[in-house]
Amino acid sequence: MVKMTKSKTFQAYLPNCHRTYSCIHCRAHLANHDELISKSFQGSQGRAYLFNSVVNVGCGPAEERVLLTGLHAVADIYCENCKTTLGWKYGYLMTSWRCCLFKKREHAFESSQKYKEGKFIIELAHMIKDNGWE
């Protein structure tokens, strides 16, 4: 559950009772630990995690990019608070779009990579663990 508020700095706050990941630069909430799919990804700046959904994130224009697992349709994602590029979103092959505002064509070029469509990569260099990590 995401609590939406206009009185705070960020667009969405995740519940305090859950372990969360936040932007290391401004501490905006990015994802709930329950949305983590895999820790076995590589970003341009090192290790990265794959998430099912994120908050407080905007998307750049879609493009085709050759990654370690082949050709993918991706768009860079950034923190909506501090505008730092965090990683990318897999899947939607369109000229320009925003996360959460589109449900058009999804496309992975390799059938074994289809599970990534619509999912988010955030590099560890740009996030910090918050709330309840021990």
Side-chain angles (χ1 to χ4, degrees), residues 76-132:
D76 287 336
I77 61 171
Y78 58 89
C79 174
E80 287 200 330
N81 187 59
C82 68
K83 307 303 182 205
T84 300
T85 299
L86 302 169
W88 62 87
K89 181 171 185 174
Y90 282 104
Y92 296 90
L93 196 54
M94 298 169 62
T95 56
S96 180
W97 37 279
R98 300 230 343 130
C99 300
C100 308
L101 295 179
F102 50 86
K103 297 288 180 194
K104 302 268 181 185
R105 292 190 313 163
E106 298 182 12
H107 187 71
F109 294 96
E110 299 283 336
S111 60
S112 65
Q113 302 300 307
K114 287 198 91 52
Y115 76 97
K116 296 178 185 175
E117 290 178 347
K119 306 299 188 276
F120 300 84
I121 289 288
I122 300 179
E123 297 181 350
L124 267 60
H126 300 295
M127 67 179 173
I128 189 168
K129 294 176 179 179
D130 272 336
N131 298 339

Side-chain angles (χ1 to χ4, degrees), residues 2-121:
V2 175
K3 181 172 124 181
M4 304 302 280
T5 178
K6 292 194 185 269
S7 64
K8 304 227 177 171
T9 305
F10 312 127
Q11 290 185 349
Y13 280 82
L14 298 171
N16 286 336
C17 60
H18 291 95
R19 294 182 295 172
T20 59
Y21 297 92
S22 299
C23 176
I24 198 167
H25 309 286
C26 71
R27 300 300 285 262
H29 289 173
L30 299 175
N32 186 315
H33 182 69
D34 295 340
E35 296 298 319
L36 179 65
I37 297 169
S38 176
K39 295 180 178 182
S40 302
F41 280 78
Q42 186 69 27
S44 61
Q45 298 180 17
R47 292 184 53 216
Y49 289 177
L50 180 69
F51 290 93
N52 190 51
S53 67
V54 295
V55 297
N56 298 317
V57 168
C59 292
E63 64 183 29
E64 292 179 2
R65 195 178 296 166
V66 178
L67 302 173
L68 293 174
T69 55
L71 183 63
H72 294 272
V74 299
D76 287 336
I77 61 171
Y78 58 89
C79 174
E80 287 200 330
N81 187 59
C82 68
K83 307 303 182 205
T84 300
T85 299
L86 302 169
W88 62 87
K89 181 171 185 174
Y90 282 104
Y92 296 90
L93 196 54
M94 298 169 62
T95 56
S96 180
W97 37 279
R98 300 230 343 130
C99 300
C100 308
L101 295 179
F102 50 86
K103 297 288 180 194
K104 302 268 181 185
R105 292 190 313 163
E106 298 182 12
H107 187 71
F109 294 96
E110 299 283 336
S111 60
S112 65
Q113 302 300 307
K114 287 198 91 52
Y115 76 97
K116 296 178 185 175
E117 290 178 347
K119 306 299 188 276
F120 300 84
I121 289 288

